[in-house]
Amino acid sequence: MKTLPYLFIDEFFTERKNPAVINTNPSNAMRFRSKIVMTAAFSLLFTAVAANFFKISVLDNKKYQTMANDQHFGSISISAHRGSIYDANGYTFAKSATVYKIFIDPQSFQEDMKTLGKLIEKRNADKANGTYTPVYDEEGNETNVLPASTDEFREQAATFLASKLSVTADKVKEAMDAEGRYVEFKTQIEKPVADEIAEFFGDVGFVSVGSVEDTKRYYPQNELAAQVVGFTNGNIAYGIESYYDSYLSGVDGRTVSAVDSNGKELPYRYSKTFEPKDGSDVYLTIDRELQFILEKRLQEMSVEHDVKNRSCAILMNPQTGAVLSMATYPSFDLNDPMELADDGMLLRKIFTEKKIDNPTEKDIEEYTPEARERQWKNKCISETYEPGSVFKIVTAASAIEEKTIDVNKFSYNCEGFVLRDDGTETPLRIDCHEKGGHHVQDFKTALKNSCNPAFISIGESLGIEKFHQYFEAFGFEEKTGIDLPYEMDGDIPPLKDTPERRAMTNIDLTLSSFGQCVTVTPLELITACSAVVNGGYLLEPYVVDRVVDSDGNIEFKNERTVRRQVISEDTSAIMRESLEYVVENNQTGNVKIKGYAIGGKSGTSQRLSEMDNTLDENKQENAEIQEYGASYICFTPADHPNLMLLVLADMPDTANEQYYGSKVAVPCAANILQDVLEYMDKSPEYSELELKNLDIKIPLVRGSSIDDAKKTLLGLGIMEDHIVTVGSGIEVVEQSPKTGMSISKDGYVYLYTEKGNTTDPVTVPDLTGYSPEAVNQTIYAYGLNYVSKNIVGDQEDAYVESQSIEGGLMVEKGTTIEVKFKAQQFND
């Protein structure tokens, strides 16, 4: 190995030590620049830290304080009591009752178990030493009995809670062993069960299993007004429950507890409770009794006519917009909204739409959720249909207002059909329901006859733009603004072409004139017709009268709200008079009740929007696939209406041509209005003709002399030869009909003057299908009486649909049979 010479090494180090040769120290300039850079860097860093500190401590203080609190505090929600929903008279539609959440504090439970173990050990020791002294109650039963061991109590507690809360014992044991201070077993527990649980654990001194107040929603009226009231179930909400949720829900309270560094809640003495604020109560304009009437009659109509696509009805005050009742059939139980209506209507409709002829169990399972969704929706506001001839009310009012017709000079000769050019080789033929034509008619007669050709001429007199303008003015292209969710609006072809649709044509105008080619919701239609008869004012309908908070203060109140005036009072007066004329001159095809001035119009529309194709290759209607909407609208009193009723049967059975509005909707509307007027105690005002034909209510004459009894009855208008005395006595000991019963003006009264000779039985004849004249002749020949509430005078084109006492039964002579007539003709 070679080594370097010592001289060389020494020289090397000498050079390294010599500053003149290599100078590794920084210069003053370099030192200055370094100081500048370091100072700038530290300044930037300090500024960033200071800015971030300012942002955290000042700007984002609340955010980080909340985050800190979340780390240091745990909380348990205390549900506010949801406000109640009441009808117009204070009957409860929805309410919240107190229930309980059952919970366990696992850490505290372990401490309770340790304490219990010590007590058991002491008891066992006392027993072993002979110093144990049991305590007995007044009945001699030992109190404060401890279990044999903590393991035994654990099993007993798990079994007990599992049985009371309908959970598994394993779930209970899992909660007992969990980390933390709060595990929820079950919610919505009724008070008796919560009390049993408290007593069970209280007997052994446990504080680790407890309860917190909660609320549960109940619907005391069950299915009544279900689609209006709606329900709340988790994230699902419909009806009033949804629309007024911000008022009803209130503000939940909380119990806030401190937690340790590991996030475990500290004992409950380190907690604070913030009480919940209960929700406000909602008072409806809907009357429970009126609602019951609508739903009862809708069900009768729907079952009788096998309605396929639900039925609905609305009763409202056309002067204010307040809805007095609103019903959809079938309804559903608000306490069990997941259950489908029993009649299966909704599923059958879906299967028809899906072209499923023989549905399987799998089909039923697949489409039940969709049927359930439809069931919850309010047909009055969430579905549209072609209004048919009822829409002639709007067409007529628009033409009168625009002066495109003069009602005093209007004349139209109906030949039974019209032909219109639809751009093809063969003109479109539109028939009148009267195949032979109505011939020459004035305006009121054309309205009474519901003549399609006449109203085509009226609609065409307006022209497309004006017709469209009034369709919009009457509110059919916008939501009514009712205080309910999921409202739809109507439809009409647009004035100009759009990428989606062609513009309205003359053929569209022709069809729209009598209520085809346009769609509306039932609520839109009754709101528009209310404007026609209330002086021309389009109102905003509402179902809630007021909202009252938990302190009794009125938070919100609905009042009459005018959206706009569509027609003048003069036009409105003409329409009221004309629609009353329709009823008075076609009583069998309308709702006519003695003593009440009523205006109305029936309608039968093809449900074109529900069908794929309505015409065959020869432009003839395919009768096998036709579906119809049968409807009727009426109002009373005719001169200043405060009641307006709309009834719709969507797709009734078409067999035997029983699908017309006058066949389906009119009888239902008649029953509804009769019941409504009676319930509301509306006093009748009889016309001269009605007074002449007025039924006579029989007074009490039993106990009077024969002469006095005859004098009383003659004074009521009963003919002398129709007062029949039975027996040779001088005093009336029995009478028939009984006191308070009514008879027609031609009826008979039987006065019995001898005891033991006071019954004279006769057989009731079967009057089904009889005309009024035939009933009049037959009933008196049997020695009976009758009254009819739904027609006045002799209507040859009506027939008996039902009678109050079944044919073949034996009754006393003079008994009154109530006869219900039905119309044979239909002018829709």
Side-chain angles (χ1 to χ4, degrees):
M1 177 178 176
K2 294 181 179 181
T3 59
L4 292 172
Y6 290 111
L7 179 61
F8 178 82
I9 295 174
D10 185 62
E11 290 176 353
F12 174 81
F13 282 103
T14 301
E15 286 186 6
R16 296 282 295 178
K17 292 177 183 178
N18 189 348
V21 178
I22 298 176
N23 186 1
T24 59
N25 294 324
S27 67
N28 290 333
M30 290 176 62
R31 291 192 185 95
F32 180 77
R33 287 196 299 270
S34 297
K35 289 179 181 179
I36 293 297
V37 171
M38 293 300 293
T39 301
F42 278 112
S43 297
L44 288 173
L45 180 61
F46 177 79
T47 302
V49 171
N52 198 43
F53 179 79
F54 179 80
K55 182 176 184 295
I56 291 172
S57 61
V58 179
L59 300 180
D60 293 339
N61 176 266
K62 290 185 179 180
K63 172 185 173 182
Y64 289 101
Q65 185 176 355
T66 301
M67 292 173 65
N69 288 340
D70 289 342
Q71 294 295 320
H72 295 292
F73 295 94
S75 65
I76 301 171
S77 175
I78 304 174
S79 299
H81 280 268
R82 191 171 178 83
S84 297
I85 300 175
Y86 299 101
D87 89 328
N89 299 312
Y91 291 105
T92 306
F93 270 113
K95 67 176 181 179
S96 290
T98 299
V99 289
Y100 296 85
K101 298 176 184 177
I102 307 299
F103 69 90
I104 185 172
D105 178 340
Q107 289 190 26
S108 180
F109 181 77
Q110 298 303 324
E111 294 171 3
D112 284 342
M113 290 289 281
K114 290 177 182 178
T115 302
L116 177 63
K118 292 178 181 178
L119 292 174
I120 292 173
E121 289 177 3
K122 183 177 185 306
R123 179 204 60 190
N124 293 341
D126 289 344
K127 283 185 175 182
N129 297 330
T131 58
Y132 179 71
T133 305
V135 179
Y136 298 95
D137 61 19
E138 296 178 355
E139 298 178 357
N141 299 315
E142 186 177 354
T143 62
N144 302 323
V145 178
L146 296 175
S149 67
T150 55
D151 289 340
E152 178 186 279
F153 176 77
R154 176 186 167 87
E155 291 296 327
Q156 290 176 350
T159 302
F160 173 77
L161 285 174
S163 65
K164 292 300 177 182
L165 302 178
S166 299
V167 297
T168 64
D170 288 341
K171 180 179 179 181
V172 175
K173 292 177 181 178
E174 183 181 335
M176 290 175 174
D177 299 332
E179 296 289 334
R181 303 298 302 238
Y182 181 86
V183 177
E184 201 170 86
F185 280 129
K186 197 75 177 286
T187 62
Q188 305 287 291
I189 300 302
E190 302 289 347
K191 188 176 188 299
V193 175
D195 289 344
E196 283 187 67
I197 293 172
E199 182 179 0
F200 178 88
F201 287 97
D203 286 345
V204 289
F206 274 45
V207 296
S208 53
V209 178
S211 62
V212 176
E213 279 195 13
D214 197 3
T215 61
K216 183 177 181 180
R217 202 66 165 161
Y218 291 94
Y219 299 93
Q221 308 302 328
N222 299 313
E223 72 280 356
L224 199 66
Q227 285 89 355
V228 176
V229 174
F231 65 95
T232 176
N233 182 12
N235 294 325
I236 302 174
Y238 285 85
I240 295 296
E241 291 277 33
S242 171
Y243 196 91
Y244 283 89
D245 181 66
S246 61
Y247 288 102
L248 289 164
S249 58
V251 180
D252 289 347
R254 301 193 80 79
T255 295
V256 181
S257 303
V259 297
D260 62 20
S261 60
N262 295 317
K264 297 178 180 179
E265 294 185 26
L266 298 175
Y268 297 112
R269 62 179 177 271
Y270 300 109
S271 66
K272 180 175 179 60
T273 297
F274 298 89
E275 295 297 331
K277 177 176 173 55
D278 292 342
S280 300
D281 295 331
V282 171
Y283 289 81
L284 306 181
T285 57
I286 287 176
D287 184 304
R288 184 185 68 166
E289 298 306 314
L290 296 178
Q291 186 71 25
F292 176 78
I293 291 169
L294 256 66
E295 295 196 15
K296 174 187 174 184
R297 297 305 187 180
L298 272 186
Q299 180 178 11
E300 293 171 353
M301 177 188 72
S302 301
V303 172
E304 179 184 355
H305 294 281
D306 191 21
V307 176
K308 305 180 188 69
N309 196 29
R310 301 204 292 173
S311 303
C312 66
I314 305 170
L315 180 71
M316 69 184 295
N317 185 334
Q319 302 296 336
T320 65
V323 176
L324 307 179
S325 52
M326 175 184 282
T328 300
Y329 178 84
S331 188
F332 63 94
D333 188 349
L334 287 168
N335 293 301
D336 189 12
M338 307 305 286
E339 184 70 22
L340 271 182
D342 293 336
D343 63 2
M345 175 197 296
L346 295 162
L347 273 174
R348 289 196 298 271
K349 179 65 170 61
I350 292 174
F351 293 146
T352 299
E353 294 171 358
K354 305 294 183 182
K355 297 181 172 56
I356 300 174
D357 296 327
N358 298 300
T360 63
E361 288 295 326
K362 183 179 179 181
D363 292 326
I364 293 173
E365 182 179 353
E366 179 180 354
Y367 291 108
T368 291
E370 183 177 344
R372 193 182 290 126
E373 285 280 350
R374 294 190 186 189
Q375 173 177 264
W376 296 335
K377 289 185 178 179
N378 187 339
K379 186 177 181 71
C380 297
I381 66 172
S382 64
E383 294 180 16
T384 60
Y385 74 109
E386 294 82 358
S389 292
V390 173
F391 196 78
K392 291 170 182 174
I393 296 173
V394 176
T395 301
S398 304
I400 294 170
E401 182 68 17
E402 281 298 308
K403 297 182 172 53
T404 60
I405 65 168
D406 184 336
V407 293
N408 297 315
K409 298 178 180 179
F410 179 86
S411 178
Y412 184 85
N413 181 23
C414 172
E415 298 176 350
F417 67 93
V418 294
L419 298 175
R420 290 293 183 269
D421 182 8
D422 63 351
T424 63
E425 293 182 2
T426 305
L428 180 65
R429 176 182 172 124
I430 303 169
D431 291 319
C432 183
H433 66 83
E434 186 65 46
K435 300 301 181 183
H438 291 110
H439 307 298
V440 178
Q441 310 160 94
D442 60 14
F443 170 73
K444 288 183 179 178
T445 306
L447 185 60
K448 172 185 74 72
N449 291 336
S450 196
C451 178
N452 282 351
F455 272 83
I456 288 172
S457 73
I458 293 174
E460 290 175 344
S461 74
L462 278 165
I464 291 176
E465 289 192 7
K466 285 293 183 183
F467 188 92
H468 212 285
Q469 174 185 323
Y470 277 92
F471 187 84
E472 181 179 351
F474 274 109
F476 294 114
E477 287 194 292
E478 61 183 324
K479 295 177 175 60
T480 65
I482 192 169
D483 44 348
L484 286 171
Y486 310 119
E487 184 182 8
M488 292 184 64
D489 50 17
D491 184 63
I492 188 174
L495 286 174
K496 296 181 179 180
D497 287 333
T498 69
E500 296 80 21
R501 298 180 67 183
R502 60 166 176 76
M504 189 172 187
T505 66
N506 288 327
I507 288 295
D508 294 333
L509 174 62
T510 297
L511 298 174
S512 299
S513 299
F514 56 92
Q516 298 289 168
C517 194
V518 295
T519 58
V520 302
T521 68
L523 183 63
E524 282 181 325
L525 185 61
I526 194 172
T527 304
C529 289
S530 294
V532 170
V533 301
N534 71 7
Y537 299 98
L538 187 69
L539 304 178
E540 186 175 284
Y542 56 95
V543 294
V544 167
D545 175 69
R546 64 192 183 279
V547 177
V548 180
D549 68 17
S550 55
D551 296 323
N553 302 310
I554 295 178
E555 285 190 273
F556 170 81
K557 183 169 178 59
N558 264 317
E559 296 178 345
R560 180 178 187 263
T561 302
V562 177
R563 294 154 68 190
R564 55 184 165 271
Q565 185 170 9
V566 184
I567 59 174
S568 66
E569 172 56 47
D570 290 342
T571 299
S572 181
I574 292 170
M575 289 304 303
R576 290 194 298 268
E577 181 184 337
S578 300
L579 290 166
E580 183 182 10
Y581 177 90
V582 169
V583 172
E584 292 296 333
N585 291 276
N586 183 13
Q587 293 178 9
T588 55
N590 286 280
V591 173
K592 177 58 187 173
I593 302 171
K594 296 176 183 179
Y596 299 93
I598 300 171
K601 183 75 189 73
S602 61
T604 306
S605 61
Q606 289 178 290
R607 294 292 278 110
L608 302 177
S609 57
E610 288 284 339
M611 294 180 282
D612 294 333
N613 184 25
T614 60
L615 302 178
D616 60 23
E617 57 186 9
N618 297 316
K619 289 190 177 181
Q620 297 300 310
E621 292 180 356
N622 187 344
E624 295 181 359
I625 66 169
Q626 296 298 311
E627 295 289 359
Y628 299 90
S631 61
Y632 186 73
I633 198 162
C634 58
F635 56 91
T636 190
D639 59 343
H640 187 74
N642 53 33
L643 288 176
M644 178 164 273
L645 171 67
L646 171 65
V647 174
L648 167 65
D650 198 357
M651 301 187 189
D653 186 25
T654 57
N656 302 316
E657 295 192 334
Q658 294 294 309
Y659 55 83
Y660 288 91
S662 57
K663 288 281 191 179
V664 180
V666 166
C668 178
N671 289 331
I672 290 173
L673 198 57
Q674 180 76 51
D675 293 345
V676 166
L677 292 170
E678 183 176 335
Y679 166 72
M680 298 184 75
D681 199 23
K682 297 281 188 179
S683 300
E685 296 180 4
Y686 299 104
S687 65
E688 291 184 12
L689 177 62
E690 287 175 333
L691 285 171
K692 290 179 182 178
N693 295 280
L694 197 61
D695 294 334
I696 300 170
K697 185 171 287 189
I698 301 302
L700 175 65
V701 294
R702 188 179 65 242
S704 303
S705 67
I706 290 294
D707 290 340
D708 288 344
K710 285 185 175 181
K711 183 178 180 181
T712 298
L713 295 172
L714 288 170
L716 294 173
I718 299 173
M719 292 179 285
E720 187 171 4
D721 58 343
H722 285 198
I723 303 172
V724 181
T725 302
V726 180
S728 56
I730 61 173
E731 182 179 310
V732 179
V733 297
E734 192 54 80
Q735 67 183 72
S736 182
K738 304 294 184 185
T739 305
M741 295 296 294
S742 295
I743 63 174
S744 67
K745 63 183 182 63
D746 297 325
Y748 285 76
V749 177
Y750 296 86
L751 305 177
Y752 298 91
T753 63
E754 297 175 0
K755 292 183 178 180
N757 186 25
T758 59
T759 57
D760 197 357
V762 295
T763 303
V764 177
D766 184 358
L767 303 170
T768 305
Y770 281 35
S771 68
E773 183 179 357
V775 171
N776 196 57
Q777 294 173 352
T778 304
I779 206 80
Y780 297 135
Y782 276 76
L784 297 168
N785 290 295
Y786 84 100
V787 292
S788 170
K789 289 188 176 180
N790 59 336
I791 66 168
V792 178
D794 295 335
Q795 301 292 326
E796 295 180 358
D797 50 1
Y799 63 94
V800 174
E801 180 185 28
S802 63
Q803 57 192 82
S804 60
I805 301 177
E806 185 180 346
L809 296 179
M810 300 295 291
V811 298
E812 287 185 13
K813 203 169 189 177
T815 298
T816 299
I817 314 295
E818 184 176 315
V819 178
K820 181 181 179 182
F821 288 94
K822 192 171 184 179
Q824 284 185 344
Q825 67 181 48
F826 34 85
N827 292 329
D828 297 340

